Amino acid sequence: GAVVSQHPSRVICKSGTSVKIECRSLDFQATTMFWYRQFPKKSLMLMATSNEGSKATYEQGVEKDKFLINHASLTLSTLTVTSAHPEDSSFYICSAGVRQPQHFGDGTRLSIL
Amino acid sequence: GESVGLHLPTLSVQEGDNSIINCAYSNSASDYFIWYKQESGKGPQFIIDIRSNMDKRQGQRVTVLLNKTVKHLSLQIAATQPGDSAVYFCAENFLGGANSKLTFGKGITLSVRP
């Protein structure tokens, strides 16, 4: 079946560091991928829609310059958290699919010290 | 505004019993609904889905019911097992394609007592 892979699974870094998270579709091509953020014991909040070959579409309230998204190929989207601070610590999850339902990666736990 | 929400934050059931998880949605234009299961530290895992032209769909040990009149969605798990312990989310979709986004409900934790 369709599989979505995220890397890394966990990142711990100092405040001010920029962190890149990768989302790959392993056995299908994805023109669109989605990035979510999830706080402990909370639901998934859509951050942005990543579009292959064009600019990402950000949800209201999500800082474009803070969360840079690049979707340069049909199998890879990256989310870069720029100049990360402790408040950016969270669980970041991507999803993609040829059709519904979307398949999700296993998430990236980001901890900013 | 439009929202997808769950009635109960937690649900505790005895192993072997049936579980029923409920979800309310408010957007009458939604035409596709999905239940996901999320285990600790992992991404959501697809359980079952249903389109708005149906009112019931069955899978292995799971059944999804859709009541469009009252905008209500439920997930029934038969003979609940310890491995069913997780957080369950309902999600709705407005346009139906792979490029259209999902809106998630708040989530409910299912705890199975041995």
PDB file of all heavy atoms in Angstrom, chain A residues 42-75:
ATOM      1  N   LYS A  42      -3.740  16.997  21.755  1.00  0.00           N
ATOM      2  CA  LYS A  42      -4.557  17.847  20.901  1.00  0.00           C
ATOM      3  C   LYS A  42      -4.714  17.234  19.518  1.00  0.00           C
ATOM      4  O   LYS A  42      -4.056  16.245  19.186  1.00  0.00           O
ATOM      5  CB  LYS A  42      -3.920  19.236  20.768  1.00  0.00           C
ATOM      6  CG  LYS A  42      -3.833  20.007  22.067  1.00  0.00           C
ATOM      7  CD  LYS A  42      -5.204  20.393  22.579  1.00  0.00           C
ATOM      8  CE  LYS A  42      -5.074  21.260  23.822  1.00  0.00           C
ATOM      9  NZ  LYS A  42      -6.406  21.625  24.370  1.00  0.00           N
ATOM     10  N   SER A  43      -5.565  17.843  18.744  1.00  0.00           N
ATOM     11  CA  SER A  43      -5.802  17.333  17.401  1.00  0.00           C
ATOM     12  C   SER A  43      -4.752  17.843  16.426  1.00  0.00           C
ATOM     13  O   SER A  43      -3.882  18.647  16.779  1.00  0.00           O
ATOM     14  CB  SER A  43      -7.192  17.768  16.940  1.00  0.00           C
ATOM     15  OG  SER A  43      -7.518  17.148  15.719  1.00  0.00           O
ATOM     16  N   LEU A  44      -4.833  17.364  15.197  1.00  0.00           N
ATOM     17  CA  LEU A  44      -3.924  17.824  14.158  1.00  0.00           C
ATOM     18  C   LEU A  44      -4.401  19.163  13.613  1.00  0.00           C
ATOM     19  O   LEU A  44      -5.578  19.327  13.285  1.00  0.00           O
ATOM     20  CB  LEU A  44      -3.865  16.810  13.014  1.00  0.00           C
ATOM     21  CG  LEU A  44      -3.017  15.567  13.226  1.00  0.00           C
ATOM     22  CD1 LEU A  44      -3.672  14.598  14.196  1.00  0.00           C
ATOM     23  CD2 LEU A  44      -2.726  14.890  11.898  1.00  0.00           C
ATOM     24  N   MET A  45      -3.475  20.092  13.497  1.00  0.00           N
ATOM     25  CA  MET A  45      -3.788  21.393  12.939  1.00  0.00           C
ATOM     26  C   MET A  45      -3.059  21.538  11.613  1.00  0.00           C
ATOM     27  O   MET A  45      -1.841  21.449  11.550  1.00  0.00           O
ATOM     28  CB  MET A  45      -3.345  22.499  13.895  1.00  0.00           C
ATOM     29  CG  MET A  45      -3.642  23.898  13.379  1.00  0.00           C
ATOM     30  SD  MET A  45      -2.860  25.177  14.362  1.00  0.00           S
ATOM     31  CE  MET A  45      -1.151  25.057  13.795  1.00  0.00           C
ATOM     32  N   LEU A  46      -3.813  21.737  10.552  1.00  0.00           N
ATOM     33  CA  LEU A  46      -3.202  21.888   9.240  1.00  0.00           C
ATOM     34  C   LEU A  46      -2.412  23.189   9.192  1.00  0.00           C
ATOM     35  O   LEU A  46      -2.941  24.254   9.512  1.00  0.00           O
ATOM     36  CB  LEU A  46      -4.277  21.885   8.154  1.00  0.00           C
ATOM     37  CG  LEU A  46      -3.773  22.040   6.722  1.00  0.00           C
ATOM     38  CD1 LEU A  46      -2.931  20.823   6.314  1.00  0.00           C
ATOM     39  CD2 LEU A  46      -4.933  22.218   5.749  1.00  0.00           C
ATOM     40  N   MET A  47      -1.155  23.086   8.793  1.00  0.00           N
ATOM     41  CA  MET A  47      -0.306  24.263   8.671  1.00  0.00           C
ATOM     42  C   MET A  47      -0.317  24.791   7.236  1.00  0.00           C
ATOM     43  O   MET A  47      -0.471  25.986   7.001  1.00  0.00           O
ATOM     44  CB  MET A  47       1.135  23.934   9.059  1.00  0.00           C
ATOM     45  CG  MET A  47       1.318  23.463  10.471  1.00  0.00           C
ATOM     46  SD  MET A  47       3.013  22.950  10.768  1.00  0.00           S
ATOM     47  CE  MET A  47       3.872  24.510  10.590  1.00  0.00           C
ATOM     48  N   ALA A  48      -0.124  23.873   6.290  1.00  0.00           N
ATOM     49  CA  ALA A  48       0.011  24.310   4.913  1.00  0.00           C
ATOM     50  C   ALA A  48      -0.174  23.146   3.955  1.00  0.00           C
ATOM     51  O   ALA A  48      -0.024  21.980   4.322  1.00  0.00           O
ATOM     52  CB  ALA A  48       1.385  24.938   4.700  1.00  0.00           C
ATOM     53  N   THR A  49      -0.500  23.508   2.740  1.00  0.00           N
ATOM     54  CA  THR A  49      -0.599  22.557   1.646  1.00  0.00           C
ATOM     55  C   THR A  49       0.607  22.775   0.749  1.00  0.00           C
ATOM     56  O   THR A  49       0.836  23.891   0.259  1.00  0.00           O
ATOM     57  CB  THR A  49      -1.893  22.775   0.851  1.00  0.00           C
ATOM     58  OG1 THR A  49      -3.006  22.647   1.744  1.00  0.00           O
ATOM     59  CG2 THR A  49      -2.014  21.762  -0.274  1.00  0.00           C
ATOM     60  N   SER A  50       1.373  21.711   0.548  1.00  0.00           N
ATOM     61  CA  SER A  50       2.582  21.771  -0.253  1.00  0.00           C
ATOM     62  C   SER A  50       2.251  21.342  -1.679  1.00  0.00           C
ATOM     63  O   SER A  50       1.720  20.262  -1.896  1.00  0.00           O
ATOM     64  CB  SER A  50       3.627  20.822   0.361  1.00  0.00           C
ATOM     65  OG  SER A  50       4.780  20.741  -0.442  1.00  0.00           O
ATOM     66  N   ASN A  51       2.570  22.195  -2.640  1.00  0.00           N
ATOM     67  CA  ASN A  51       2.235  21.940  -4.032  1.00  0.00           C
ATOM     68  C   ASN A  51       3.504  21.775  -4.859  1.00  0.00           C
ATOM     69  O   ASN A  51       4.358  22.673  -4.879  1.00  0.00           O
ATOM     70  CB  ASN A  51       1.411  23.098  -4.595  1.00  0.00           C
ATOM     71  CG  ASN A  51       0.147  23.352  -3.781  1.00  0.00           C
ATOM     72  OD1 ASN A  51      -0.691  22.479  -3.631  1.00  0.00           O
ATOM     73  ND2 ASN A  51       0.030  24.559  -3.248  1.00  0.00           N
ATOM     74  N   GLU A  52       3.628  20.660  -5.540  1.00  0.00           N
ATOM     75  CA  GLU A  52       4.810  20.380  -6.337  1.00  0.00           C
ATOM     76  C   GLU A  52       4.978  21.426  -7.424  1.00  0.00           C
ATOM     77  O   GLU A  52       4.041  21.699  -8.188  1.00  0.00           O
ATOM     78  CB  GLU A  52       4.714  18.976  -6.952  1.00  0.00           C
ATOM     79  CG  GLU A  52       5.980  18.510  -7.644  1.00  0.00           C
ATOM     80  CD  GLU A  52       6.028  18.905  -9.110  1.00  0.00           C
ATOM     81  OE1 GLU A  52       4.953  19.075  -9.703  1.00  0.00           O
ATOM     82  OE2 GLU A  52       7.142  19.036  -9.644  1.00  0.00           O
ATOM     83  N   GLY A  53       6.144  22.050  -7.442  1.00  0.00           N
ATOM     84  CA  GLY A  53       6.465  23.005  -8.481  1.00  0.00           C
ATOM     85  C   GLY A  53       5.882  24.388  -8.308  1.00  0.00           C
ATOM     86  O   GLY A  53       6.048  25.248  -9.175  1.00  0.00           O
ATOM     87  N   SER A  54       5.199  24.622  -7.201  1.00  0.00           N
ATOM     88  CA  SER A  54       4.650  25.951  -6.964  1.00  0.00           C
ATOM     89  C   SER A  54       4.680  26.270  -5.469  1.00  0.00           C
ATOM     90  O   SER A  54       5.075  25.445  -4.663  1.00  0.00           O
ATOM     91  CB  SER A  54       3.228  26.056  -7.507  1.00  0.00           C
ATOM     92  OG  SER A  54       2.370  25.171  -6.818  1.00  0.00           O
ATOM     93  N   LYS A  55       4.240  27.468  -5.136  1.00  0.00           N
ATOM     94  CA  LYS A  55       4.284  27.893  -3.742  1.00  0.00           C
ATOM     95  C   LYS A  55       3.282  27.129  -2.888  1.00  0.00           C
ATOM     96  O   LYS A  55       2.203  26.756  -3.344  1.00  0.00           O
ATOM     97  CB  LYS A  55       3.991  29.387  -3.654  1.00  0.00           C
ATOM     98  CG  LYS A  55       5.072  30.273  -4.249  1.00  0.00           C
ATOM     99  CD  LYS A  55       4.721  31.749  -4.068  1.00  0.00           C
ATOM    100  CE  LYS A  55       5.798  32.646  -4.637  1.00  0.00           C
ATOM    101  NZ  LYS A  55       5.467  34.087  -4.472  1.00  0.00           N
ATOM    102  N   ALA A  56       3.667  26.956  -1.633  1.00  0.00           N
ATOM    103  CA  ALA A  56       2.757  26.311  -0.696  1.00  0.00           C
ATOM    104  C   ALA A  56       1.614  27.258  -0.324  1.00  0.00           C
ATOM    105  O   ALA A  56       1.751  28.479  -0.394  1.00  0.00           O
ATOM    106  CB  ALA A  56       3.523  25.901   0.557  1.00  0.00           C
ATOM    107  N   THR A  57       0.521  26.677   0.063  1.00  0.00           N
ATOM    108  CA  THR A  57      -0.633  27.441   0.539  1.00  0.00           C
ATOM    109  C   THR A  57      -0.693  27.299   2.045  1.00  0.00           C
ATOM    110  O   THR A  57      -0.884  26.198   2.561  1.00  0.00           O
ATOM    111  CB  THR A  57      -1.934  26.908  -0.088  1.00  0.00           C
ATOM    112  OG1 THR A  57      -1.825  26.933  -1.506  1.00  0.00           O
ATOM    113  CG2 THR A  57      -3.115  27.758   0.354  1.00  0.00           C
ATOM    114  N   TYR A  58      -0.558  28.420   2.749  1.00  0.00           N
ATOM    115  CA  TYR A  58      -0.512  28.399   4.206  1.00  0.00           C
ATOM    116  C   TYR A  58      -1.883  28.682   4.806  1.00  0.00           C
ATOM    117  O   TYR A  58      -2.653  29.492   4.282  1.00  0.00           O
ATOM    118  CB  TYR A  58       0.502  29.418   4.719  1.00  0.00           C
ATOM    119  CG  TYR A  58       1.937  29.038   4.433  1.00  0.00           C
ATOM    120  CD1 TYR A  58       2.517  29.280   3.189  1.00  0.00           C
ATOM    121  CD2 TYR A  58       2.715  28.418   5.404  1.00  0.00           C
ATOM    122  CE1 TYR A  58       3.816  28.913   2.913  1.00  0.00           C
ATOM    123  CE2 TYR A  58       4.031  28.053   5.151  1.00  0.00           C
ATOM    124  CZ  TYR A  58       4.577  28.303   3.896  1.00  0.00           C
ATOM    125  OH  TYR A  58       5.870  27.936   3.638  1.00  0.00           O
ATOM    126  N   GLU A  59      -2.153  28.044   5.919  1.00  0.00           N
ATOM    127  CA  GLU A  59      -3.389  28.311   6.652  1.00  0.00           C
ATOM    128  C   GLU A  59      -3.256  29.627   7.402  1.00  0.00           C
ATOM    129  O   GLU A  59      -2.144  30.100   7.692  1.00  0.00           O
ATOM    130  CB  GLU A  59      -3.694  27.168   7.615  1.00  0.00           C
ATOM    131  CG  GLU A  59      -3.978  25.848   6.928  1.00  0.00           C
ATOM    132  CD  GLU A  59      -5.192  25.899   6.023  1.00  0.00           C
ATOM    133  OE1 GLU A  59      -6.294  26.229   6.513  1.00  0.00           O
ATOM    134  OE2 GLU A  59      -5.028  25.625   4.809  1.00  0.00           O
ATOM    135  N   GLN A  60      -4.389  30.180   7.712  1.00  0.00           N
ATOM    136  CA  GLN A  60      -4.405  31.465   8.410  1.00  0.00           C
ATOM    137  C   GLN A  60      -3.682  31.346   9.740  1.00  0.00           C
ATOM    138  O   GLN A  60      -3.907  30.402  10.503  1.00  0.00           O
ATOM    139  CB  GLN A  60      -5.853  31.913   8.639  1.00  0.00           C
ATOM    140  CG  GLN A  60      -5.987  33.313   9.178  1.00  0.00           C
ATOM    141  CD  GLN A  60      -7.449  33.753   9.247  1.00  0.00           C
ATOM    142  OE1 GLN A  60      -8.355  32.956   9.023  1.00  0.00           O
ATOM    143  NE2 GLN A  60      -7.666  35.012   9.557  1.00  0.00           N
ATOM    144  N   GLY A  61      -2.816  32.312  10.000  1.00  0.00           N
ATOM    145  CA  GLY A  61      -2.090  32.332  11.262  1.00  0.00           C
ATOM    146  C   GLY A  61      -0.757  31.609  11.234  1.00  0.00           C
ATOM    147  O   GLY A  61      -0.001  31.682  12.204  1.00  0.00           O
ATOM    148  N   VAL A  62      -0.434  30.929  10.168  1.00  0.00           N
ATOM    149  CA  VAL A  62       0.846  30.225  10.060  1.00  0.00           C
ATOM    150  C   VAL A  62       1.848  31.129   9.353  1.00  0.00           C
ATOM    151  O   VAL A  62       1.577  31.638   8.261  1.00  0.00           O
ATOM    152  CB  VAL A  62       0.694  28.904   9.279  1.00  0.00           C
ATOM    153  CG1 VAL A  62       2.050  28.208   9.130  1.00  0.00           C
ATOM    154  CG2 VAL A  62      -0.295  27.993   9.971  1.00  0.00           C
ATOM    155  N   GLU A  63       2.989  31.337   9.998  1.00  0.00           N
ATOM    156  CA  GLU A  63       3.992  32.251   9.454  1.00  0.00           C
ATOM    157  C   GLU A  63       4.768  31.596   8.302  1.00  0.00           C
ATOM    158  O   GLU A  63       5.500  30.635   8.492  1.00  0.00           O
ATOM    159  CB  GLU A  63       4.968  32.642  10.558  1.00  0.00           C
ATOM    160  CG  GLU A  63       4.342  33.367  11.733  1.00  0.00           C
ATOM    161  CD  GLU A  63       5.390  33.666  12.799  1.00  0.00           C
ATOM    162  OE1 GLU A  63       6.359  34.390  12.485  1.00  0.00           O
ATOM    163  OE2 GLU A  63       5.262  33.152  13.918  1.00  0.00           O
ATOM    164  N   LYS A  64       4.656  32.175   7.139  1.00  0.00           N
ATOM    165  CA  LYS A  64       5.317  31.632   5.961  1.00  0.00           C
ATOM    166  C   LYS A  64       6.837  31.676   6.085  1.00  0.00           C
ATOM    167  O   LYS A  64       7.544  30.778   5.619  1.00  0.00           O
ATOM    168  CB  LYS A  64       4.895  32.413   4.716  1.00  0.00           C
ATOM    169  CG  LYS A  64       3.413  32.393   4.446  1.00  0.00           C
ATOM    170  CD  LYS A  64       3.079  33.237   3.215  1.00  0.00           C
ATOM    171  CE  LYS A  64       1.574  33.262   2.983  1.00  0.00           C
ATOM    172  NZ  LYS A  64       1.212  34.056   1.793  1.00  0.00           N
ATOM    173  N   ASP A  65       7.336  32.745   6.673  1.00  0.00           N
ATOM    174  CA  ASP A  65       8.787  32.903   6.786  1.00  0.00           C
ATOM    175  C   ASP A  65       9.381  32.032   7.890  1.00  0.00           C
ATOM    176  O   ASP A  65      10.590  31.801   7.913  1.00  0.00           O
ATOM    177  CB  ASP A  65       9.142  34.363   7.040  1.00  0.00           C
ATOM    178  CG  ASP A  65       8.759  35.251   5.859  1.00  0.00           C
ATOM    179  OD1 ASP A  65       8.741  34.727   4.718  1.00  0.00           O
ATOM    180  OD2 ASP A  65       8.472  36.438   6.078  1.00  0.00           O
ATOM    181  N   LYS A  66       8.549  31.595   8.793  1.00  0.00           N
ATOM    182  CA  LYS A  66       9.006  30.730   9.876  1.00  0.00           C
ATOM    183  C   LYS A  66       9.011  29.272   9.425  1.00  0.00           C
ATOM    184  O   LYS A  66       9.914  28.513   9.734  1.00  0.00           O
ATOM    185  CB  LYS A  66       8.090  30.913  11.086  1.00  0.00           C
ATOM    186  CG  LYS A  66       8.131  29.808  12.152  1.00  0.00           C
ATOM    187  CD  LYS A  66       9.448  29.743  12.860  1.00  0.00           C
ATOM    188  CE  LYS A  66       9.515  30.765  13.936  1.00  0.00           C
ATOM    189  NZ  LYS A  66      10.778  30.603  14.731  1.00  0.00           N
ATOM    190  N   PHE A  67       7.999  28.900   8.692  1.00  0.00           N
ATOM    191  CA  PHE A  67       7.845  27.513   8.249  1.00  0.00           C
ATOM    192  C   PHE A  67       7.938  27.477   6.719  1.00  0.00           C
ATOM    193  O   PHE A  67       6.937  27.632   6.017  1.00  0.00           O
ATOM    194  CB  PHE A  67       6.504  26.951   8.726  1.00  0.00           C
ATOM    195  CG  PHE A  67       6.342  26.957  10.216  1.00  0.00           C
ATOM    196  CD1 PHE A  67       5.567  27.934  10.846  1.00  0.00           C
ATOM    197  CD2 PHE A  67       6.967  25.995  11.000  1.00  0.00           C
ATOM    198  CE1 PHE A  67       5.423  27.946  12.229  1.00  0.00           C
ATOM    199  CE2 PHE A  67       6.825  25.991  12.378  1.00  0.00           C
ATOM    200  CZ  PHE A  67       6.053  26.966  12.993  1.00  0.00           C
ATOM    201  N   LEU A  68       9.151  27.243   6.251  1.00  0.00           N
ATOM    202  CA  LEU A  68       9.395  27.229   4.812  1.00  0.00           C
ATOM    203  C   LEU A  68       9.111  25.845   4.239  1.00  0.00           C
ATOM    204  O   LEU A  68       9.605  24.844   4.742  1.00  0.00           O
ATOM    205  CB  LEU A  68      10.855  27.621   4.527  1.00  0.00           C
ATOM    206  CG  LEU A  68      11.283  29.008   4.981  1.00  0.00           C
ATOM    207  CD1 LEU A  68      12.745  29.252   4.649  1.00  0.00           C
ATOM    208  CD2 LEU A  68      10.411  30.090   4.356  1.00  0.00           C
ATOM    209  N   ILE A  69       8.341  25.815   3.177  1.00  0.00           N
ATOM    210  CA  ILE A  69       7.984  24.551   2.554  1.00  0.00           C
ATOM    211  C   ILE A  69       8.491  24.535   1.125  1.00  0.00           C
ATOM    212  O   ILE A  69       8.284  25.486   0.368  1.00  0.00           O
ATOM    213  CB  ILE A  69       6.465  24.329   2.592  1.00  0.00           C
ATOM    214  CG1 ILE A  69       6.020  24.089   4.039  1.00  0.00           C
ATOM    215  CG2 ILE A  69       6.063  23.146   1.707  1.00  0.00           C
ATOM    216  CD1 ILE A  69       4.528  24.032   4.220  1.00  0.00           C
ATOM    217  N   ASN A  70       9.133  23.423   0.773  1.00  0.00           N
ATOM    218  CA  ASN A  70       9.629  23.229  -0.584  1.00  0.00           C
ATOM    219  C   ASN A  70       9.169  21.872  -1.086  1.00  0.00           C
ATOM    220  O   ASN A  70       9.312  20.861  -0.413  1.00  0.00           O
ATOM    221  CB  ASN A  70      11.161  23.304  -0.605  1.00  0.00           C
ATOM    222  CG  ASN A  70      11.715  23.178  -2.011  1.00  0.00           C
ATOM    223  OD1 ASN A  70      11.886  22.080  -2.526  1.00  0.00           O
ATOM    224  ND2 ASN A  70      11.969  24.302  -2.636  1.00  0.00           N
ATOM    225  N   HIS A  71       8.597  21.848  -2.271  1.00  0.00           N
ATOM    226  CA  HIS A  71       8.085  20.600  -2.853  1.00  0.00           C
ATOM    227  C   HIS A  71       8.667  20.506  -4.257  1.00  0.00           C
ATOM    228  O   HIS A  71       7.985  20.751  -5.247  1.00  0.00           O
ATOM    229  CB  HIS A  71       6.555  20.668  -2.878  1.00  0.00           C
ATOM    230  CG  HIS A  71       5.889  19.359  -3.118  1.00  0.00           C
ATOM    231  ND1 HIS A  71       4.625  19.100  -2.630  1.00  0.00           N
ATOM    232  CD2 HIS A  71       6.270  18.257  -3.780  1.00  0.00           C
ATOM    233  CE1 HIS A  71       4.258  17.885  -3.005  1.00  0.00           C
ATOM    234  NE2 HIS A  71       5.235  17.358  -3.709  1.00  0.00           N
ATOM    235  N   ALA A  72       9.941  20.167  -4.310  1.00  0.00           N
ATOM    236  CA  ALA A  72      10.688  20.243  -5.559  1.00  0.00           C
ATOM    237  C   ALA A  72      10.518  19.030  -6.459  1.00  0.00           C
ATOM    238  O   ALA A  72      10.825  19.097  -7.642  1.00  0.00           O
ATOM    239  CB  ALA A  72      12.169  20.448  -5.251  1.00  0.00           C
ATOM    240  N   SER A  73      10.009  17.940  -5.913  1.00  0.00           N
ATOM    241  CA  SER A  73       9.799  16.756  -6.745  1.00  0.00           C
ATOM    242  C   SER A  73       8.479  16.113  -6.375  1.00  0.00           C
ATOM    243  O   SER A  73       7.846  16.488  -5.386  1.00  0.00           O
ATOM    244  CB  SER A  73      10.934  15.752  -6.541  1.00  0.00           C
ATOM    245  OG  SER A  73      10.756  15.012  -5.343  1.00  0.00           O
ATOM    246  N   LEU A  74       8.060  15.152  -7.143  1.00  0.00           N
ATOM    247  CA  LEU A  74       6.762  14.513  -6.916  1.00  0.00           C
ATOM    248  C   LEU A  74       6.777  13.524  -5.761  1.00  0.00           C
ATOM    249  O   LEU A  74       5.744  12.935  -5.440  1.00  0.00           O
ATOM    250  CB  LEU A  74       6.303  13.815  -8.198  1.00  0.00           C
ATOM    251  CG  LEU A  74       5.826  14.750  -9.305  1.00  0.00           C
ATOM    252  CD1 LEU A  74       5.623  13.988 -10.599  1.00  0.00           C
ATOM    253  CD2 LEU A  74       4.538  15.450  -8.903  1.00  0.00           C
ATOM    254  N   THR A  75       7.934  13.325  -5.149  1.00  0.00           N
ATOM    255  CA  THR A  75       8.009  12.392  -4.040  1.00  0.00           C
ATOM    256  C   THR A  75       8.589  13.009  -2.773  1.00  0.00           C
ATOM    257  O   THR A  75       8.764  12.305  -1.769  1.00  0.00           O
ATOM    258  CB  THR A  75       8.853  11.152  -4.407  1.00  0.00           C
ATOM    259  OG1 THR A  75      10.171  11.583  -4.763  1.00  0.00           O
ATOM    260  CG2 THR A  75       8.231  10.396  -5.568  1.00  0.00           C
TER     261      THR A  75
END
